[in-house]
């Protein structure tokens, strides 16, 4: 289907920075947290707490269906983050209603965002995208969309449609970056390079679309020096939100099968927290940080097996950064 993303023209690229700057928010941390927290940002923007409801809309991926590869990314197993109610045999409406029932017991006063999470959720023709997104928006209580995709699945027609959609609804497009090192991307079988990431984020920014990046820390053959340098590269991208998590080696993935040959350092919680804190210090201060930890089902995880809830790790991260007098952006240059 889509072998390349749409690239911006010279004229449109000159507007990327000015359009993007309109979306930048002042850092929301004020002493209670040493980083710019997504929870506070989304409450301020939407006027209430928001809960993402994952949706499996039956999309495929060019890295699995044979367009680019049939093997997929070496680390990927969509079932590791897909709730039981998110099965493509159920309609989008049925999945969202099930998600609302599940979360309403814990969070009775909340709004909902439909999170198109599984596989590449812009990898289809426009009529298909329109039908699936608009079905989600028609569900009572759904106040916007979060659409996860690859940087090479954003052709012009898709970008134009997303731009139009964002004028009337809250919309975030989440781009799988994973690494800003081309050698790492090749080893992960990502089938795109860092130039593709840059073009995709610029194309989204030129249309005023809120963009979230996703990165993994601790990938094979990436040193701590390389990881920390990546934070400065990420800060130069025209994105507004960033999701970070540690590498988890999952059973059945290509990475798990080749782990004995990989140069992979398995971080302890303390090692990862220190690396993460230093990474956050190198991110620009206005970048909204959504998450720091992955928590796949333990029976699927080969390494690292921490067995610690993300909320506890979040508290330990805050204590570490405050104890050292660090905050987001303090080493960004």
């Amino acid at each position: 289907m889509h072998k390349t993303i749409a690239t911006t023209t010279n004229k449109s690229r000159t507007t990327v920075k000015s359009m993007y700057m309109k979306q930048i928010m002042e850092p929301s941390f004020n002493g209670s947290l040493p980083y710019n927290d997504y929870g506070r940002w989304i409450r301020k923007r939407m006027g209430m707490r928001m809960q993402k409801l994952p949706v499996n809309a039956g999309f495929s991926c060019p890295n699995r269906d044979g367009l680019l590869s049939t093997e997929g990314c070496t680390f990927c197993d969509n079932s590791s983050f897909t709730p039981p109610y998110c099965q493509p045999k159920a309609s989008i409406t049925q999945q969202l209603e099930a998600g609302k029932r599940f979360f309403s017991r814990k969070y009775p006063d909340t709004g909902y965002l439909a999170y198109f999470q599984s596989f590449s959720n812009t990898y289809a023709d426009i009529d298909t995208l329109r039908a699936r997104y608009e079905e989600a928006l028609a569900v009572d209580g759904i106040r916007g969309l979060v659409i996860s995709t690859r940087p090479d699945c954003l052709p012009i027609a898709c970008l134009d449609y997303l731009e139009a959609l964002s004028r009337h609804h809250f919309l975030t497009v989440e781009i799988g970056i994973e690494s800003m090192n081309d050698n790492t991307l090749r080893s992960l079988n990502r089938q795109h390079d860092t130039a593709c990431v840059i073009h995709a984020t610029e194309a989204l920014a030129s249309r005023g679309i809120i963009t979230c990046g996703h990165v993994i820390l601790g990938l094979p053959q990436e040193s701590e020096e390389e990881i920390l340098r990546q934070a400065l590269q990420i800060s130069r991208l025209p994105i507004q939100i960033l999701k970070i998590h540690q590498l988890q080696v999952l059973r059945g993935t290509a990475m798990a099968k080749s782990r004995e040959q990989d140069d992979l350092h398995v971080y302890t919680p303390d090692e990862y927290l220190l690396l993460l804190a230093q990474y956050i210090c190198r991110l620009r201060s206005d970048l909204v940080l959504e998450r720091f930890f992955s928590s796949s089902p333990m029976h699927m995880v080969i390494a690292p097996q921490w067995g610690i809830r993300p909320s506890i790790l979040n508290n330990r991260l805050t204590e570490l950064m405050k104890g050292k007098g660090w905050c987001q952006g303090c080493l960004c240059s």
Side-chain angles (χ1 to χ4, degrees), residues 73-77 178 188 190 216 247-248 250 253 255:
C73 303
T74 62
F75 58 84
C76 183
D77 184 342
E178 318 316 351
L188 296 175
R190 285 291 293 173
I216 302 173
L247 174 67
Q248 289 190 308
L250 302 177
T253 61
M255 184 174 289

Side-chain angles (χ1 to χ4, degrees), residues 34-67:
Y35 55 84
N36 201 14
D37 177 54
Y38 177 84
R40 294 183 179 185
W41 176 81
I42 196 69
R43 283 187 186 94
K44 183 175 180 180
R45 186 176 186 101
M46 304 298 286
M48 62 189 307
R49 185 190 184 283
M50 300 300 295
Q51 177 65 50
K52 289 183 182 178
L53 300 180
V55 172
N56 186 335
F59 289 107
S60 183
C61 174
N63 211 15
R64 287 180 176 270
D65 71 0
L67 180 64

Side-chain angles (χ1 to χ4, degrees), residues 7-19 202 206:
T7 57
T8 52
T9 64
N10 289 336
K11 181 177 180 181
S12 64
R13 285 193 180 196
T14 63
T15 68
V16 167
K17 184 174 181 180
S18 61
M19 293 187 69
E202 287 183 348
S206 71

